[in-house]
Amino acid sequence: SQYDLSISLFDAAAESACVLNKCTEVTSLCEQVVRNARCYDDQLHCLYTGAKALRQAELLHESLDSVFEILSYSGEEKLRPIGSSILTSKIHQMNGLFRKTPDQVILDMNITNNKKIFTLLKLYELLGTTLHFTMPELYAATCLRMVDLTMENGLTAIAPMAFAMYGVVLAGDGNL
């Protein structure tokens, strides 16, 4: 439809402006998508591009605030810091899942075509690579959520990064 094409074109224009490090243009394009999109999911990718542009402009706190806000509006739970008993329990559950799941089962997982899941994973990747240096206490929860989304929904181009980042968490904790 023309609507879908318009959203795709604005997403592509915002991505291009981001690559060219034109943060003001990215913001302007995102504002237009937010004003005219029929639902939040249609805004999601452009909002991700806006957060990415902020990080590229070295506005780290603004980028983090943007990602946290997007994730909250998307229905994602607030990240728990290292030391949280809930986070520790979820990590143990994921590790248990990996112990009983043969490698071939993971390799044979379906590829997800769900744009929302893919964009959420991109948001978490952006968040994780920033939090690793700015708020390391939230890094483990970010990586766990990336792996959790992958295991629940299927593989994406972000899956290798999700597994690698989660491996860093486990190695740092001595659980690898």
Side-chain angles (χ1 to χ4, degrees):
S1 74
Q2 286 187 354
Y3 170 80
D4 292 331
L5 178 60
S6 293
I7 294 293
S8 295
L9 289 172
F10 271 90
D11 281 346
E15 193 69 43
S16 296
C18 183
V19 168
L20 296 171
N21 206 21
K22 296 188 175 197
C23 196
T24 305
E25 284 82 353
V26 173
T27 301
S28 174
L29 290 162
C30 289
E31 287 171 353
Q32 290 181 57
V33 169
V34 168
R35 267 195 315 274
N36 296 299
R38 293 179 185 155
C39 65
Y40 190 74
D41 287 358
D42 292 344
Q43 302 171 21
L44 201 53
H45 188 268
C46 203
L47 293 172
Y48 155 76
T49 303
K52 184 170 75 168
L54 290 169
R55 189 179 83 174
Q56 284 179 200
E58 298 182 11
L59 300 169
L60 299 182
H61 293 291
E62 292 86 345
S63 176
L64 287 173
D65 289 345
S66 178
V67 172
F68 284 132
E69 184 177 338
I70 296 165
L71 291 173
S72 176
Y73 283 150
S74 297
E76 291 291 296
E77 288 183 20
K78 187 175 179 181
L79 297 174
R80 299 187 185 277
I82 291 176
S84 159
S85 60
I86 293 172
L87 176 61
T88 301
S89 174
K90 288 182 177 185
I91 288 173
H92 288 309
Q93 288 173 354
M94 184 59 69
N95 292 347
L97 176 66
F98 282 137
R99 276 190 211 96
K100 68 181 182 182
T101 304
D103 293 345
Q104 196 60 46
V105 170
I106 294 172
L107 292 171
D108 291 340
M109 286 175 62
N110 289 328
I111 295 172
T112 186
N113 293 319
N114 185 320
K115 286 175 55 175
K116 180 179 180 179
I117 296 301
F118 186 66
T119 304
L120 286 174
L121 283 164
K122 288 169 45 172
L123 283 160
Y124 279 113
E125 179 186 28
L126 177 66
L127 188 62
T129 55
T130 306
L131 288 176
H132 188 70
F133 299 105
T134 59
M135 298 171 71
E137 67 276 6
L138 296 178
Y139 183 74
T142 302
C143 300
L144 175 64
R145 185 61 181 138
M146 289 175 69
V147 169
D148 190 39
L149 283 168
T150 299
M151 296 302 288
E152 287 176 2
N153 297 284
L155 299 173
T156 65
I158 307 293
M161 181 61 84
F163 290 124
M165 289 170 69
Y166 188 67
V168 168
V169 170
L170 295 180
D173 196 31
N175 287 321
L176 193 60

